[in-house]
Amino acid sequence: MKQLRRYLFGLAGVAALLIAGCGSTTSTTTTSTAPKDITIGTLYAGSGSYATSSLPELAGLKFWMNQVNKDGGVFVKAYNKKIPVKLVDYNDQSDPNTAQTLYTQLITQNKVNILVSDFGSVLTSVAVPIAQEHKMVLFDPTGTGASFFTPTNPYIVLTGLPTSAVWPDNLAKYLLAQNYKNIAIVYAENDFDQSQDQTLTTQLKAGGVTPVYNQGVPTTTSNYDVIIHNIAATNPDAVLELGYPNNDIAFLQNLAASGQHFGFLFTIFPGQLFSLLEQNVGAKTLTDTYTYPTPPLLAYNSGVNYGMTISQFTQAFQSANGSAPNFLDIAGYNTGLAIQKTLETAKSLSQLDLRAAAGKIHMFTLDGDFTINSEGAQMGETLPVGQIQASGSGLKTVIIYPTSVATGSAVH
Amino acid sequence: MLRRRWVDALVVVVVVLAFVLAPQAYSNETLLFQMMVYIALSQGVNILYGFTGYLPFGYVGFFGIGAYGASLLMLHLNWPPILALLGGGAIAVLLGLLLSPLLRLSGAYFAIASLAASQAVYLIVSNPALQNVTYGPYGIQLVSQFNPTLSYYVMVVILALTVAVVLYIRRSRFGTALQAMRDDPVSAAMAGVPVVRQRTFAWMISAAIAGLVGGAFAWQTSVFYPDAVFSLSISIFAIVFTLFGGAGTLLGPLFGSVVLYGMYNTIGISDPQYFQLIYGLLIILLVLFLPDGAASLLKRRGSHVL
């Protein structure tokens, strides 16, 4: 009997720990009167493979919040007044399983008004069903996986880039226009890169060009030596390497060390994280390569009708943070602008009203045209083709295609 | 004997009640679900490591194949989720059978080989050449089947079954045979214990648990990429939770999972650097002073730990 009692005490202890281990509950608040602040909940990767991309995105969002709060807060049409913005952010450490718990934490415990996902498709993927289940609009800065946007999910808004399958549209057209016949593609095996590979191969084949080399590699690949030599053996006119920043860096470093040279070389991330790539692979390796230029390389100074222009943002961001912004800083800031515009026009703070307001936004920001379709996917922004060219002692990015937005021509 | 059965039944009831009632007190069901996942997985590791001495670093392979097996049965064959989940468990058992020759190895060799096997499974599943079958690196979308409430309660059932199985193993001749093999396989074989068969059976039970848990995880998550269900951190968490609480007992891994996963979610998220420091110190202290886990503290005082 004594032993039985001991078991029961032990089990009760475990059960109590279980409840205690989960933390305390927070009370539910009603919103019949204006809230003290608008709470935005987001995650960031403070470590792990997505940290280099996630941290600038968070910095951009924080910059927007500080700017708005300096001005007394964000104007909320539902209450016809400005309300300060508060940010609740958790570190998911680049782990989707941790992110899953934390997104739920933001919704159920912190009871945030606005939910913003972490960088990229992997860390956004787990947020999509959670947001839908809790009927929360997910403001998604850079999770461009096409499968997130479906007619049955009214709770997502892609604030930045178009879905990844749309990215290579201009690139495919440019390659066909240049009459390249021997095209080699190496892509990292993930949703983001493989969807681009599929779009490219489909469009190239439709133009009568079948890639001479089209090979997937694990996203964790850090040595492309053998692949580079295999590609060189096919005598390609154009080589496209589609990967995440770490893939691009490894490929370009290996290429420089191999002594091989390709006439047309395309990688994705010099256009988004120029400084990071330049630091890691050197200006010489980047010279004359091609990329998708994004702001600030793609400088929207005229035509901006909401928020700062690129020049204003660059100056203000640098003075606030001590470093020049990259594309992901801008993506974070742009997400803030999308939230701001949504709150300025939504009838109430109900999530469906917020989504309806976001759907009606037409604005031109430092990130380009903002227009989403009925599924929440970004349609306004397009990605041109650019070339990184030598300019005095440094480098500059020249937009070469489409011709309607071109700022120069390619150097071969 | 009757009292033991009552105690066993009470253990299962308390665990079930704790997780059935917990959402009333704490509404982050995802956290509670993940805690159940790690308790069940640590019990799966416990069956293998605690009872046979085989440390499966690649245990996540069974979890991942269970998640994918269940998902693909739902997507390709339109199986209802609960049936698909059982199918995921069965596929994990088949994988266990396929990998059973690994049990010819032991110690670090087995740990490394099981890790390699799980990576091989991951690379096969995420291979773009198999996109029509596994969806390759594009990941899984089970949005039409998404049902977090039902999947939560199904996970409670899986956890209860897992606890019941571990209790059975602790009480049965089978468990005694496994522990005899762990301590001295030659002597156990000479005493008439069918070593290979029993060890393989334990390996497959452990695989089945991970497969079922993986299936429930897939159902609850509904959108995931291969690296989310084949992440090595899942194996490591399950192993550390087991070792912290005490392998070879039921309450040890349960205690380890609740305490460490609770700690991970309280300080590990806001201050990961402190968590990693505390985590590291705990493991060092554990290895130095409590190599048999927290349960050994009670055992040293003469208490029987279930």
Side-chain angles (χ1 to χ4, degrees):
Chain A
M1 199 60 193
K2 198 175 162 190
Q3 204 170 22
L4 177 66
R5 210 177 301 136
R6 200 181 298 153
Y7 285 143
L8 289 175
F9 277 128
L11 285 167
V14 169
L17 271 168
L18 168 67
I19 307 294
C22 297
S24 60
T25 55
T26 52
S27 60
T28 309
T29 52
T30 55
T31 53
S32 55
T33 54
K36 196 174 69 173
D37 41 42
I38 297 291
T39 316
I40 297 177
T42 192
L43 304 187
Y44 67 94
S47 57
S49 50
Y50 300 109
T52 51
S53 305
S54 174
L55 288 169
E57 206 173 272
L58 179 72
L61 186 64
K62 280 185 173 170
F63 174 81
W64 165 81
M65 181 185 71
N66 292 336
Q67 292 291 313
V68 162
N69 284 342
K70 261 188 221 165
D71 201 25
V74 64
F75 180 77
V76 182
K77 186 190 173 192
Y79 299 105
N80 198 32
K81 64 185 278 197
K82 282 190 173 178
I83 301 176
V85 176
K86 189 176 128 191
L87 190 68
V88 180
D89 52 2
Y90 291 124
N91 182 358
D92 59 35
Q93 300 164 58
S94 298
D95 178 13
N97 297 336
T98 303
Q100 194 183 5
T101 307
L102 294 176
Y103 283 122
T104 313
Q105 184 80 2
L106 288 169
I107 298 170
T108 61
Q109 303 303 303
N110 301 105
K111 302 191 187 302
V112 296
N113 302 106
I114 306 273
L115 185 66
V116 178
S117 58
D118 198 347
F119 163 82
S121 296
V122 171
L123 296 172
T124 300
S125 64
V126 288
V128 177
I130 291 171
Q132 191 175 3
E133 162 70 11
H134 292 276
K135 298 185 169 41
M136 283 286 294
V137 176
L138 181 69
F139 284 86
D140 167 13
T142 46
T144 55
S147 56
F148 304 162
F149 307 94
T150 56
T152 53
N153 182 10
Y155 294 101
I156 187 164
V157 173
L158 179 54
T159 61
L161 299 157
T163 54
S164 47
V166 180
W167 286 34
D169 271 351
N170 284 322
L171 178 60
K173 285 176 191 155
Y174 180 74
L175 292 168
L176 290 170
Q178 292 298 306
N179 211 21
Y180 289 133
K181 296 291 180 200
N182 291 341
I183 296 173
I185 307 172
V186 55
Y187 61 91
E189 290 166 349
N190 59 63
D191 189 1
F192 170 68
D193 293 305
Q194 204 188 354
S195 59
Q196 293 189 59
D197 172 67
Q198 284 204 333
T199 304
L200 269 170
T201 48
T202 306
Q203 294 194 9
L204 291 174
K205 280 179 185 170
V209 176
T210 301
V212 290
Y213 183 95
N214 189 15
Q215 182 66 51
V217 295
T219 308
T220 49
T221 300
S222 57
N223 191 327
Y224 284 84
D225 266 346
V226 174
I227 293 162
I228 287 167
H229 285 95
N230 287 345
I231 291 172
T234 64
N235 294 316
D237 303 322
V239 175
L240 318 174
E241 186 274 318
L242 311 173
Y244 278 119
N246 292 347
N247 301 99
D248 291 1
I249 290 169
F251 184 88
L252 290 166
Q253 283 176 339
N254 290 163
L255 181 64
S258 73
Q260 296 285 348
H261 178 78
F262 301 123
F264 180 103
L265 174 63
F266 179 92
T267 53
I268 294 172
F269 279 90
Q272 293 187 25
L273 299 169
F274 184 78
S275 303
L276 180 74
L277 270 287
E278 192 182 20
Q279 276 167 20
N280 282 280
V281 306
K284 192 180 163 197
T285 309
L286 285 177
T287 304
D288 295 342
T289 64
Y290 295 76
T291 188
Y292 300 124
T294 56
L297 301 179
L298 193 60
Y300 290 120
N301 281 312
S302 61
V304 172
N305 60 23
Y306 198 77
M308 295 178 180
T309 63
I310 274 290
S311 303
Q312 291 165 339
F313 177 79
T314 305
Q315 199 179 357
F317 188 89
Q318 193 147 11
S319 109
N321 292 34
S323 61
N326 61 32
F327 168 71
L328 293 161
D329 293 306
I330 290 165
Y333 174 73
N334 197 55
T335 301
L337 292 180
I339 292 168
Q340 185 177 344
K341 186 78 173 169
T342 300
L343 292 168
E344 277 177 5
T345 51
K347 286 188 301 191
S348 76
L349 283 187
S350 89
Q351 295 294 315
L352 282 177
D353 281 345
L354 291 176
R355 175 64 182 82
K360 288 178 189 155
I361 293 175
H362 293 290
M363 60 182 183
F364 202 95
T365 69
L366 76 178
D367 200 24
D369 185 21
F370 182 100
T371 307
I372 58 168
N373 68 9
S374 59
E375 295 171 2
Q378 186 56 238
M379 302 304 287
E381 295 184 17
T382 54
L383 290 165
V385 180
Q387 188 185 32
I388 299 165
Q389 298 176 356
S391 169
S393 58
L395 295 173
K396 65 174 180 180
T397 304
V398 176
I399 299 160
I400 54 166
Y401 191 87
T403 45
S404 58
V405 294
T407 57
S409 52
V411 174
H412 296 288
Chain B
M1 186 58 132
L2 190 65
R3 202 186 63 184
R4 276 185 175 180
R5 283 186 183 163
W6 270 106
V7 170
D8 292 355
L10 266 171
V11 171
V12 177
V13 167
V14 168
V15 170
V16 167
L17 276 180
F19 280 101
V20 167
L21 296 176
Q24 310 301 319
Y26 185 70
S27 56
N28 188 345
E29 281 191 18
T30 309
L31 192 152
L32 295 169
F33 182 91
Q34 300 242 18
M35 192 178 272
M36 284 194 284
V37 163
Y38 282 112
I39 293 173
L41 288 178
S42 62
Q43 294 294 357
V45 168
N46 188 27
I47 291 173
L48 207 58
Y49 178 67
F51 290 93
T52 72
Y54 279 73
L55 188 61
F57 262 110
Y59 193 54
V60 69
F62 295 129
F63 177 80
I65 202 71
Y68 261 87
S71 304
L72 297 178
L73 288 171
M74 283 186 241
L75 291 168
H76 290 311
L77 303 178
N78 294 318
W79 282 21
I82 294 174
L83 197 59
L85 203 143
L86 294 173
I91 290 169
V93 171
L94 284 176
L95 178 69
L97 198 60
L98 191 71
L99 297 178
S100 58
L102 294 183
L103 294 168
R104 292 167 66 93
L105 303 169
S106 63
Y109 298 102
F110 171 79
I112 293 166
S114 74
L115 180 62
S118 74
Q119 286 301 294
V121 176
Y122 163 58
L123 292 173
I124 291 167
V125 167
S126 62
N127 193 322
L130 290 175
Q131 194 185 319
N132 290 336
V133 182
T134 63
Y135 298 87
Y138 278 113
I140 293 289
Q141 280 267 1
L142 295 173
V143 175
S144 59
Q145 308 283 0
F146 185 52
N147 190 336
T149 308
L150 185 56
S151 56
Y152 180 90
Y153 289 108
V154 167
M155 187 61 223
V156 174
V157 174
I158 293 171
L159 180 62
L161 285 174
T162 304
V163 169
V165 166
V166 175
L167 278 170
Y168 166 75
I169 293 174
R170 285 239 347 130
R171 304 283 198 210
S172 66
R173 286 166 60 101
F174 172 57
T176 311
L178 290 179
Q179 290 178 69
M181 286 186 285
R182 178 193 64 194
D183 296 339
D184 189 343
V186 176
S187 303
M190 288 175 72
V193 174
V195 172
V196 174
R197 200 174 67 206
Q198 302 270 42
R199 194 181 277 154
T200 307
F201 193 47
W203 167 247
M204 282 159 63
I205 292 172
S206 181
I209 290 170
L212 287 171
V213 175
F217 177 87
W219 188 18
Q220 160 89 199
T221 304
S222 86
V223 180
F224 60 90
Y225 291 97
D227 44 1
V229 291
F230 285 99
S231 166
L232 184 58
S233 66
I234 295 171
S235 279
I236 292 174
F237 269 30
I239 289 169
V240 170
F241 295 165
T242 307
L243 296 179
F244 178 80
T249 65
L250 170 82
L251 293 181
L254 183 63
F255 175 81
S257 304
V258 171
V259 169
L260 291 186
Y261 192 68
M263 209 165 93
Y264 176 72
N265 280 285
T266 45
I267 58 168
I269 304 304
S270 54
D271 301 291
Q273 66 279 27
Y274 296 124
F275 172 74
Q276 280 154 9
L277 180 71
I278 294 169
Y279 219 58
L281 284 173
L282 265 177
I283 291 168
I284 291 169
L285 291 172
L286 197 74
V287 170
L288 286 177
F289 302 109
L290 290 173
D292 294 325
S296 63
L297 270 178
L298 294 175
K299 283 182 184 169
R300 281 180 196 175
R301 293 177 59 198
S303 301
H304 173 72
V305 180
L306 189 61

